[in-house]
Each structure stands twice: as structure tokens, then as C-alpha cells.
Amino acid sequence: MKPNIRRFARWFGIACLMVGLTSCGGSSVRLPSLASNATILAFGDSLTFGTGAAPNKSYPARLSSLIGREIVNHGVPGEISRDGLNRLPGVLDEVKPALLILCHGGNDFLRKLDSKETEANVRAMVKLARDRHISVLLMATPRPGLMLSAPEFYDKIGSELSVPVEGAVLAKVLGDNSLKADLVHPNEMGYARVAEALAAALERSGAL
């Protein structure tokens, strides 16, 4: 091997270690495979409930059709993360899901609540599920503004607790007027995009 090629190979190996396995072709966070009869819990606020579209066009309904698993929709419009944290234990006990899809924080951002509290509440919800041996897929909600982007704490929680994060789709959908029913909710086409992104995330994680 020529010296310059050897140096490049050494540099590439170091780069892979620095930027992580996912971006260098390795595996991302893995989830257990979902059985064909597995129940999934979609938990969150109006974005989970499906405000802006008919009930059968919400993202949980569309995702259920895409992946062939039952998805129970427990979205509550207007709910903040503190209330979601209080509500989640009872819902987990009732539904007993194999997987939790968690989407929370949007109403905290709209009400300009303390972001540290929002982060703590979302982290606690993930831990509640994990303590019950329930897999988690976390969906990041963007802050309102001209340039929509999700706070970094979603990825931080994903890294700390080893759960996959879908961090881009809501920002993309809510940044496209053709995919929105109003300022903060997707329309049925927008929810379809969300469902497609989540199906892809579940496939990447090995859940499907």
C-alpha cells in the first residue's frame, strides 16, 4: 500500500470513530423486532391526535396501515410535557405496548415554558417506558420560528438512553405550507409524510 493511500485509510478509520458508526455506514440504535401482532402506543399531543385531518388520516392511522401493526393513538390536544409525564404511566399499564412512539414538547415551546423542564419531562417519559421493557422511538418537535428546527435535547436524550430519534420530518412538514392545515398542524398529506418517515426509522432500527 502506498504511503498516501495508507495515510488516507488511517484518517478514514479515525474519522469513522469520531463521527460515529451511523454516518460511516455502521448500524444506528437498534430496536427489538416487532412481532406481527405487536401493539404500538403513539403518545403525545395534537400532532399525535391528528388535529388538522380526519381521524383515519392521522399519522398513527397511516403508520398502522404502512407497517401492518396495531397502533393505539393516545394523543391529547393542548397537552404539555408535564401533563404527559403524569398521564403516561396509566396509559402504559392499560395498553401494554411493545413499542412507544413518543412525540412531546410542542405545546411547551408554544407556551414558552422552561426548556430544561421540557427536556427533563421527555427524558422521564422515555425512562418510564424503558423501565417497563418497552422499546421507544422518539420524534422531535421543532420550536416555532422562521427556521424550524428541533432542540438539541432530543438527540441528547436519544444518545444517553440509546433510543432512535426521528428528528427531521416534523420540521420539514411544518415548514411546507402545502403540507399544513394551519400554522402548527399538518394536513393529511403532512401526516402521511410523518408516517412514512417513522416507518423508515423503524426499518432502520431493525424493528421491522
Side-chain angles (χ1 to χ4, degrees), residues 189-204:
M189 293 187 296
Y191 285 120
R193 295 283 183 88
V194 173
E196 290 163 3
L198 291 172
L202 289 173
E203 288 185 7
R204 286 194 302 270

Side-chain angles (χ1 to χ4, degrees), residues 9 31 59 69:
L31 294 175
Y59 97 70
R69 270 79 170 178

Side-chain angles (χ1 to χ4, degrees), residues 120-141:
N121 292 336
V122 173
R123 180 182 287 104
M125 284 188 267
V126 174
K127 288 182 176 179
L128 274 171
R130 293 287 299 275
D131 287 347
R132 288 166 167 79
H133 306 290
I134 297 167
S135 300
V136 179
L137 172 60
L138 183 59
M139 182 160 55
T141 304

Side-chain angles (χ1 to χ4, degrees), residues 167-188:
V169 67
L170 280 175
K172 290 179 180 178
V173 167
L174 295 176
D176 185 339
N177 288 333
S178 70
L179 300 176
K180 294 196 298 184
D182 56 39
L183 290 176
V184 295
H185 298 106
N187 56 27
E188 65 178 64

Side-chain angles (χ1 to χ4, degrees), residues 137-150:
L137 172 60
L138 183 59
M139 182 160 55
T141 304
R143 294 184 187 276
L146 292 177
M147 300 295 292
L148 293 178
S149 62

Side-chain angles (χ1 to χ4, degrees), residues 63-172:
L63 181 59
S64 179
S65 297
L66 286 174
I67 67 175
R69 270 79 170 178
E70 179 187 8
I71 301 182
V72 180
N73 186 335
H74 266 274
V76 174
E79 184 174 73
I80 61 174
S81 64
R82 183 190 312 121
D83 294 336
L85 176 58
N86 291 332
R87 183 169 65 94
L88 182 58
V91 176
L92 292 176
D93 290 341
E94 173 192 342
V95 177
K96 296 179 173 59
L99 171 73
L100 167 66
I101 300 176
L102 178 62
C103 178
H104 237 299
N107 288 310
D108 295 48
F109 305 149
L110 288 171
R111 299 184 190 186
K112 299 182 179 180
L113 301 181
D114 181 15
S115 62
K116 290 184 179 179
E117 181 184 354
T118 304
E119 177 180 350
N121 292 336
V122 173
R123 180 182 287 104
M125 284 188 267
V126 174
K127 288 182 176 179
L128 274 171
R130 293 287 299 275
D131 287 347
R132 288 166 167 79
H133 306 290
I134 297 167
S135 300
V136 179
L137 172 60
L138 183 59
M139 182 160 55
T141 304
R143 294 184 187 276
L146 292 177
M147 300 295 292
L148 293 178
S149 62
E152 294 180 357
F153 72 70
Y154 288 104
D155 284 332
K156 179 181 176 183
I157 292 170
S159 297
E160 288 178 0
L161 301 180
S162 296
V163 299
V165 179
E166 168 41 68
V169 67
L170 280 175
K172 290 179 180 178

